[in-house]
Amino acid sequence: MSKKNTDELVFLPLGGSDEVGMNLNLYGFGPEHKRQWIVVDVGVTFGDLSTPGVDVITPDPAFVEGENILGIVLTHAHEDHIGALAWLWPRMKAPVYATPFTAFLIREKLRDAGLLDEVEIIEVPLGGNIQLGPFDITLVTLAHSIPEPNGLAIRTPAGLVLHTGDWKLDPDPITGAVTDPATLGALGDEGVLAMVCDSTNVFVEGRAGSEGEVREALGKLIASLSGRIAVGCFASNVARMDSVCRAAEAAGRRVALAGRSMHRIAAAAKSVGLLSGLQPFLSDQQAREWPADEILYLCTGSQGEPRAALSRVADGTHPYVRLGKGDHCIFSSRVIPGNELSIGALQDRLSDRGVRLYTEKDHPGIHVSGHPCREELREMYRWVRPRIAVPTHGVRRFLVEHANLARDLGIPETVTPRNGDMVRLWPGAAQVIDEVPAGRLYVDGGRLVSEEGEAIRERRHASTNGVLVVSFALDKRGRIVSDIDVRGIGLPGDADSPLGDALDELAERAEQAVRALTGEALEDELVIEQAVARALKKASQRIWDRRPIVETIVLRL
Amino acid sequence: MSKKNTDELVFLPLGGSDEVGMNLNLYGFGPEHKRQWIVVDVGVTFGDLSTPGVDVITPDPAFVEGENILGIVLTHAHEDHIGALAWLWPRMKAPVYATPFTAFLIREKLRDAGLLDEVEIIEVPLGGNIQLGPFDITLVTLAHSIPEPNGLAIRTPAGLVLHTGDWKLDPDPITGAVTDPATLGALGDEGVLAMVCDSTNVFVEGRAGSEGEVREALGKLIASLSGRIAVGCFASNVARMDSVCRAAEAAGRRVALAGRSMHRIAAAAKSVGLLSGLQPFLSDQQAREWPADEILYLCTGSQGEPRAALSRVADGTHPYVRLGKGDHCIFSSRVIPGNELSIGALQDRLSDRGVRLYTEKDHPGIHVSGHPCREELREMYRWVRPRIAVPTHGVRRFLVEHANLARDLGIPETVTPRNGDMVRLWPGAAQVIDEVPAGRLYVDGGRLVSEEGEAIRERRHASTNGVLVVSFALDKRGRIVSDIDVRGIGLPGDADSPLGDALDELAERAEQAVRALTGEALEDELVIEQAVARALKKASQRIWDRRPIVETIVLRL
């Protein structure tokens, strides 16, 4: 039997390994030429100032397009696990499996994208089972910062893989069942070939802490305050929402929601029986008029997002939330790396209005992470005892540290794949056997384009170097028959050297460049345009110490 | 006597208040119409991804241009206190006062700018005195993360102002004298009208810690390691350099410098007798060949700056520093807010090479701040007992918190000016009496331009929205006599809707827009260009959900 015909079990992250966000994991079973695949999670990451004009980024699923995909299984409803579904489903076209809360939210997404009728969504109960060809998947309820976080116990002819998804251990998770060590221990007893596991907090000693403790801390803090109170938190953390609402009610306050995703998540939570037994949220109109000491606003925008509720409150432009002197803003959230400056600017503006601020830094206990710290990781490895540890959900040094930790705990094999590294889990020792294309796609101008695409490269170049535009008309013999018009976009002038002078000089250079051409060169617009661009770039280097994009348009009459 | 003729003492920050960096402080004395000024510090701040193409930002000195400036006094040599001198001196043209280490570094700057012969630099000894009209200034030696940090005791006919500059209390500062409580207490006894004071660490309880403790921690850590060691730190922290060198020597290692500013600062330090009694630094050539266990590299780039030494080491492109498996990189530095992602990316790349990392997070003690924490602030206020506290050197919520702290300590008056707020310190209660223009200037393409300037706005707009260029020729009667050529810069197409199709459609729209014009409109290029731009923006909104910059060039034959 040739090697190509040998059954293999492979794990292939196309997103979410060696980075945070944008999870897209594949598991394949079978011989190379007729492998069957399952996809676990289809997430996005978000653009920043380094990707101007791009807000949403997805993994590139090119490798798996056209392959035999048996199903798409979603572990939980965070955007870095489900956000790309509407963008990438048309390239994968497989049935989608999710628990009820997650299913509610993806239905919404697919409806917005006009795909709801096309996608088969199979709702699976917590702890339920999914049969997909050689993959027999059992959902394992864990704890996380969102309802219904599921690990996947994936049984295959090659053995059992535990895909943890995002998790932590929480003795009082508020929205879900407590993680059962017996369940995980039983997997360990059964024998786990590999565990693919969350690395987010591998550098943090101890434990993430419990939502129950947060409830207590928030309850005390909120009870101690008079004046208006706004609480910023991630809308998807329904346990947190629930805790804030109960703390408000205990303090004689009614709750108003501020921000679209608060409303969206509240609806999803109620659809699965969460957020029950609470007074109704105040309407916008009520919130506008309610007495200061009797209201609490649950707000989006704890990361300083410019269009979210808290930013508008800080700017004084929110339609019904007003905060000022004597009022309070509680950040029941963490600082996502990269958001330090925008959060700082938000807090400055609030502070400037006289609002008192409370963050986890100065008020420990008002936020806990949803990911496992080292003690939780140790516990999990002791229960599950996998043969192979595959750290995921982290940047490189996190994966490396996680592998070190696993080795210290006696796990025989570790492998830390990059996106696109195909890891053979069985047969033989775990190893990277192939590198497949993996990258990012940008949602740009309503299109899904390559991160290497020309548009984004041009915009980035223009943003630092500016653009020169030059146009003139030639007759058939290559004589210039119009003015040479040069325009600068994003190129500076000042009193000592006005932009107009520079443009005049550039027009002369362009003319010289054309006059220097002879014969056939003058018949080819492309040759002329390139000659002019070269001359203008050189001159720009001298004038501005820069090489702008030069767009030359030669009109032939 | 009219109010205008009354003597006043005013403090006016044009930079560095309500922000970190870019310090430019003015003190004025006299009646409004013939006030005499001193300038304290002339610093820069650095551009980031939100200011594409702009690396250096200075305060706008417009208010003080043409005023009677008696002198420019520099407290210490950090870039946020001296970095704008070469850019702004020509607009202020006053003699510059500095202690020897600072003077060495500004001479270098002014030489590079071709200004050294024009600027009068007066070197003042530590503890020295400067007489400038009504201002009698005595330097007060404090501790900070650079040699020769000076507070200024400014005596005026209205009373004594203590301008702290950047400071902390350090019982073992290594490069300077220990701060003398008696000196500060004596100022307090004399009576201090106002203290203008550093707010950087007002949210941090306790004390910043001592360079002496860092020396000990680095000594232990470095002695415990085998393999190559790189230490990243701020070059300007000469005490830290000294500590690292001595730790290296104690561990049988020679030191090589990597990065231009390491060499620059080492020269400045030696010019004032610092870094003495050490073995010479290895040359680049020696460093390349020295045994791994016997070398230590002192590197720039601890903030992840892409062109600095550590980044090149991480990329494997440094000419003589190589780190790999079994080697070590110690970050004896803090994370400057905003640099989290670039530092993280640097650390990932190092970690990926097998280099072990040490940061102040996991190895407390290998870095201390140069700014006062709350306990130090309390001590200073107890010694100096000013009537007025003027927090500076911090963003808004830091200034507000600092003012709260001062009030809690019994300081009778506090005022937290923004840049451009003129604070009258005397006579009467301290208050903002005027707002003068204050803003930022960008160093852009070798020119100093307004932050509101068109070039930067255009580049920012182009970076998210792209540029459309359209050109065509008209005859005298306004008939189109060439092709309509439309080019897109930074505008995406994809397989379903190629860019070419979009540009063809836009050319049609441009033609329709021209044809819709009649009579006089067709005689005016500007009118035609605007009509075409409007049409193309509207179409772009539909095609890309964006409004690019549209540059229309009409050539008239």
Side-chain angles (χ1 to χ4, degrees):
Chain A
M1 195 166 73
S2 95
K3 203 168 172 207
K4 288 229 159 205
N5 288 318
T6 313
D7 277 341
E8 289 177 325
L9 174 64
V10 299
F11 168 65
L12 170 57
L14 289 180
S17 199
D18 239 10
E19 71 185 343
V20 177
M22 204 182 84
N23 292 277
L24 183 63
N25 297 292
L26 307 181
Y27 289 92
F29 187 82
E32 190 183 342
H33 66 285
K34 51 175 189 175
R35 202 159 276 164
Q36 293 176 298
W37 296 96
I38 58 169
V39 173
V40 177
D41 291 335
V42 188
V44 292
T45 192
F46 298 104
D48 57 27
L49 288 169
S50 71
T51 56
V54 175
D55 295 327
V56 172
I57 298 171
T58 80
D60 185 346
F63 169 79
V64 78
E65 284 179 53
E67 292 286 324
N68 183 9
I69 306 174
L70 305 174
I72 298 168
V73 183
L74 303 175
T75 60
H76 66 284
H78 276 145
E79 286 297 313
D80 60 333
H81 293 257
I82 66 165
L85 190 66
W87 286 106
L88 301 188
W89 187 87
R91 303 184 182 209
M92 303 197 291
K93 298 202 169 161
V96 177
Y97 297 82
T99 54
F101 179 79
T102 306
F104 183 98
L105 288 167
I106 59 171
R107 273 193 205 100
E108 215 171 53
K109 265 182 205 300
L110 295 168
R111 191 178 300 120
D112 290 349
L115 286 171
L116 190 55
D117 292 342
E118 283 188 59
V119 182
E120 186 190 358
I121 298 174
I122 299 100
E123 219 172 281
V124 187
L126 289 166
N129 186 270
I130 306 164
Q131 294 282 346
L132 293 171
F135 301 96
D136 171 346
I137 303 165
T138 302
L139 303 188
V140 180
T141 301
L142 295 168
H144 187 44
S145 47
I146 192 167
E148 302 184 0
N150 300 290
L152 308 180
I154 308 172
R155 290 182 178 83
T156 74
L160 167 57
V161 177
L162 179 61
H163 182 97
T164 66
D166 296 2
W167 66 278
K168 70 178 196 179
L169 300 175
D170 191 336
D172 185 8
I174 292 181
T175 48
V178 176
T179 303
D180 182 12
T183 309
L184 294 161
L187 294 177
D189 293 342
E190 181 181 340
V192 173
L193 174 66
M195 180 161 79
V196 176
C197 182
D198 185 345
S199 307
T200 311
N201 280 337
V202 71
F203 283 105
V204 185
E205 214 16 280
R207 292 170 175 279
S210 168
E211 282 296 330
E213 292 160 21
V214 175
R215 166 166 297 189
E216 207 171 309
L218 284 174
K220 275 188 197 153
L221 177 56
I222 288 168
S224 75
L225 304 177
S226 60
R228 290 184 183 81
I229 302 175
V231 178
C233 68
F234 298 109
S236 55
N237 193 334
V238 175
R240 196 67 56 85
M241 263 173 101
D242 187 280
S243 292
V244 171
C245 291
R246 289 181 206 280
E249 293 192 3
R253 291 175 185 268
R254 292 285 296 276
V255 175
L257 301 181
R260 223 164 55 94
S261 48
M262 284 290 169
H263 290 280
R264 202 168 54 81
I265 297 287
K270 286 180 175 173
S271 81
V272 297
L274 297 172
L275 295 180
S276 60
L278 293 167
Q279 287 189 279
F281 296 118
L282 294 178
S283 71
D284 302 357
Q285 183 58 35
Q286 288 174 309
R288 197 179 288 115
E289 297 160 356
W290 215 259
D293 289 342
E294 296 170 25
I295 194 167
L296 182 148
Y297 313 98
L298 248 177
C299 300
T300 59
S302 64
Q303 299 302 305
E305 304 93 325
R307 287 180 295 260
L310 281 181
S311 262
R312 297 166 71 192
V313 173
D315 292 340
T317 58
H318 194 279
Y320 56 87
V321 185
R322 298 255 174 283
L323 294 184
K325 207 167 165 54
D327 297 335
H328 311 271
C329 184
I330 300 171
F331 286 79
S332 182
S333 56
R334 76 176 184 121
V335 175
I336 294 181
N339 293 345
E340 291 80 3
L341 295 185
S342 59
I343 295 173
L346 168 66
Q347 293 181 340
D348 280 336
R349 277 140 57 214
L350 287 167
S351 169
D352 203 23
R353 302 192 155 260
V355 178
R356 283 208 56 173
L357 305 175
Y358 307 80
T359 72
E360 63 163 340
K361 213 174 150 189
D362 42 69
H363 287 74
I366 62 172
H367 176 67
V368 293
S369 169
H371 299 272
C373 298
R374 290 176 79 90
E375 195 49 40
E376 289 154 283
L377 288 167
R378 289 189 193 102
E379 210 149 53
M380 183 63 99
Y381 277 104
R382 278 195 292 260
W383 290 331
V384 176
R385 292 157 279 155
R387 199 182 88 201
I388 309 161
V390 186
T392 184
H393 210 281
V395 293
R396 183 103 304 245
R397 67 188 189 283
F398 285 63
L399 304 189
V400 169
E401 179 67 18
H402 187 163
N404 290 340
L405 178 71
R407 271 192 296 273
D408 289 349
L409 293 169
I411 305 306
E413 295 180 54
T414 64
V415 53
T416 53
R418 288 178 164 69
N419 291 329
D421 283 354
M422 189 186 290
V423 180
R424 189 179 59 208
L425 299 172
W426 178 90
Q431 58 175 301
V432 175
I433 54 167
D434 199 2
E435 283 177 42
V436 311
R440 301 169 152 221
L441 299 179
Y442 290 159
V443 177
D444 188 18
R447 293 150 175 76
L448 207 53
V449 302
S450 161
E451 64 180 324
E452 308 291 330
E454 211 179 338
I456 182 84
R457 277 192 292 117
E458 286 175 342
R459 293 208 303 276
R460 227 181 248 142
H461 189 87
S463 77
T464 51
N465 294 281
V467 178
L468 275 176
V469 181
V470 50
S471 186
F472 50 88
L474 296 182
D475 67 12
K476 291 199 169 49
R477 295 171 52 193
R479 290 176 305 202
I480 299 170
V481 292
S482 72
D483 287 346
I484 295 184
D485 199 336
V486 183
R487 311 275 175 94
I489 298 170
L491 289 162
D494 66 4
D496 294 336
S497 51
L499 184 58
D501 291 0
L503 298 181
D504 288 349
E505 185 196 329
L506 291 168
E508 263 177 57
R509 299 265 171 254
E511 187 172 348
Q512 287 163 3
V514 176
R515 288 198 197 289
L517 298 174
T518 52
E520 280 185 10
L522 281 171
E523 291 167 25
D524 187 339
E525 278 80 3
L526 199 62
V527 171
I528 301 168
E529 291 182 3
Q530 285 173 349
V532 170
R534 258 197 313 278
L536 264 51
K537 277 188 187 168
K538 201 172 152 195
S540 299
Q541 184 80 50
R542 190 172 37 70
I543 299 172
W544 292 288
D545 194 21
R546 278 197 184 146
R547 292 176 81 79
I549 293 176
V550 179
E551 191 69 53
T552 311
I553 302 185
V554 173
L555 300 173
R556 183 76 72 167
L557 301 183
Chain B
M1 194 166 74
S2 94
K3 206 168 169 206
K4 289 227 155 199
N5 288 317
T6 313
D7 277 341
E8 290 177 323
L9 173 64
V10 299
F11 168 66
L12 171 57
L14 289 180
S17 199
D18 238 11
E19 70 185 345
V20 177
M22 205 181 84
N23 291 277
L24 182 62
N25 296 292
L26 307 180
Y27 290 92
F29 188 81
E32 190 182 343
H33 66 288
K34 49 174 189 176
R35 201 160 275 164
Q36 293 177 296
W37 296 96
I38 58 169
V39 173
V40 177
D41 292 334
V42 187
V44 292
T45 193
F46 298 104
D48 57 26
L49 289 169
S50 71
T51 57
V54 175
D55 296 327
V56 172
I57 298 171
T58 81
D60 185 346
F63 169 79
V64 79
E65 284 178 53
E67 292 286 325
N68 183 10
I69 306 174
L70 304 174
I72 299 168
V73 184
L74 303 175
T75 60
H76 66 284
H78 275 145
E79 287 295 314
D80 60 333
H81 293 257
I82 66 166
L85 189 66
W87 286 105
L88 300 188
W89 187 86
R91 304 185 181 209
M92 303 197 291
K93 298 205 167 157
V96 177
Y97 297 81
T99 54
F101 178 79
T102 306
F104 183 98
L105 288 167
I106 59 171
R107 272 194 207 99
E108 216 171 52
K109 265 183 205 298
L110 294 169
R111 191 178 299 120
D112 291 349
L115 286 171
L116 189 54
D117 292 341
E118 282 187 60
V119 182
E120 185 189 359
I121 299 175
I122 298 102
E123 220 172 280
V124 188
L126 289 166
N129 187 269
I130 306 163
Q131 294 282 347
L132 292 171
F135 302 96
D136 171 344
I137 303 165
T138 302
L139 304 187
V140 180
T141 301
L142 295 168
H144 188 43
S145 47
I146 192 167
E148 302 183 2
N150 301 288
L152 309 180
I154 309 172
R155 291 182 178 83
T156 74
L160 167 56
V161 177
L162 179 62
H163 182 97
T164 65
D166 295 3
W167 66 279
K168 69 178 198 178
L169 300 176
D170 190 337
D172 185 8
I174 291 181
T175 46
V178 176
T179 304
D180 183 11
T183 308
L184 295 160
L187 293 177
D189 292 342
E190 180 181 343
V192 173
L193 175 65
M195 181 162 79
V196 176
C197 182
D198 185 345
S199 307
T200 311
N201 279 337
V202 69
F203 283 106
V204 185
E205 212 20 278
R207 292 170 174 280
S210 169
E211 282 297 330
E213 292 160 20
V214 175
R215 165 166 297 190
E216 208 172 308
L218 284 174
K220 275 188 195 154
L221 177 57
I222 288 169
S224 73
L225 304 177
S226 58
R228 291 184 183 81
I229 302 176
V231 178
C233 69
F234 298 109
S236 55
N237 193 334
V238 175
R240 196 66 56 84
M241 264 173 101
D242 187 279
S243 293
V244 172
C245 292
R246 289 181 207 278
E249 292 191 4
R253 291 174 185 267
R254 292 284 297 276
V255 175
L257 301 181
R260 223 164 55 94
S261 47
M262 283 290 169
H263 291 279
R264 201 168 56 81
I265 297 287
K270 286 181 175 171
S271 81
V272 297
L274 297 172
L275 295 181
S276 61
L278 293 167
Q279 288 189 278
F281 296 118
L282 294 178
S283 70
D284 302 357
Q285 183 58 34
Q286 289 174 308
R288 198 178 287 116
E289 297 159 356
W290 214 259
D293 288 343
E294 295 169 25
I295 194 166
L296 182 149
Y297 314 97
L298 247 178
C299 300
T300 58
S302 65
Q303 299 302 305
E305 303 93 325
R307 286 179 297 260
L310 281 181
S311 262
R312 296 166 71 192
V313 173
D315 292 340
T317 58
H318 195 278
Y320 55 88
V321 185
R322 299 253 174 285
L323 294 184
K325 206 167 166 55
D327 298 334
H328 311 271
C329 185
I330 299 171
F331 286 78
S332 182
S333 56
R334 76 177 184 120
V335 176
I336 294 181
N339 294 344
E340 292 79 4
L341 294 184
S342 59
I343 295 173
L346 168 66
Q347 293 180 340
D348 280 336
R349 276 140 57 213
L350 287 168
S351 168
D352 202 23
R353 299 191 157 262
V355 178
R356 281 207 58 171
L357 306 176
Y358 307 80
T359 72
E360 64 163 340
K361 213 175 150 189
D362 43 70
H363 287 74
I366 62 173
H367 176 68
V368 293
S369 170
H371 299 272
C373 298
R374 291 175 78 90
E375 195 49 39
E376 288 154 284
L377 288 167
R378 288 191 193 101
E379 211 149 52
M380 184 63 99
Y381 278 104
R382 278 194 291 260
W383 290 332
V384 176
R385 290 157 280 155
R387 199 182 89 201
I388 309 161
V390 186
T392 183
H393 209 280
V395 293
R396 183 103 303 245
R397 67 188 189 283
F398 284 62
L399 305 189
V400 168
E401 179 67 18
H402 187 163
N404 290 339
L405 177 69
R407 269 193 296 274
D408 289 349
L409 293 169
I411 306 305
E413 295 181 53
T414 64
V415 53
T416 53
R418 291 178 160 70
N419 291 328
D421 282 354
M422 188 184 292
V423 180
R424 189 179 60 207
L425 298 171
W426 179 91
Q431 59 175 300
V432 174
I433 55 167
D434 200 2
E435 283 176 42
V436 311
R440 301 169 152 221
L441 300 178
Y442 290 158
V443 177
D444 189 19
R447 292 150 176 77
L448 206 53
V449 303
S450 160
E451 65 181 323
E452 308 290 331
E454 210 178 337
I456 182 84
R457 277 192 292 117
E458 285 175 344
R459 294 208 302 276
R460 225 180 250 143
H461 190 88
S463 77
T464 49
N465 295 279
V467 178
L468 275 175
V469 182
V470 50
S471 185
F472 51 87
L474 297 182
D475 67 12
K476 290 197 171 50
R477 295 172 51 195
R479 287 176 307 200
I480 299 170
V481 293
S482 73
D483 286 346
I484 295 183
D485 200 335
V486 183
R487 311 274 175 94
I489 299 169
L491 289 163
D494 66 4
D496 294 336
S497 51
L499 184 58
D501 291 0
L503 299 180
D504 289 348
E505 185 196 330
L506 291 167
E508 262 177 60
R509 299 263 171 257
E511 186 172 349
Q512 288 164 1
V514 177
R515 286 199 199 288
L517 298 175
T518 51
E520 280 183 9
L522 281 171
E523 291 166 25
D524 186 338
E525 279 80 3
L526 198 63
V527 171
I528 300 168
E529 290 181 4
Q530 285 173 349
V532 169
R534 259 197 312 277
L536 265 50
K537 277 188 187 168
K538 198 172 154 196
S540 299
Q541 184 80 51
R542 190 173 37 70
I543 298 172
W544 292 288
D545 195 20
R546 277 195 185 146
R547 291 176 81 80
I549 293 175
V550 179
E551 191 68 54
T552 311
I553 301 185
V554 174
L555 300 173
R556 183 78 70 166
L557 300 182

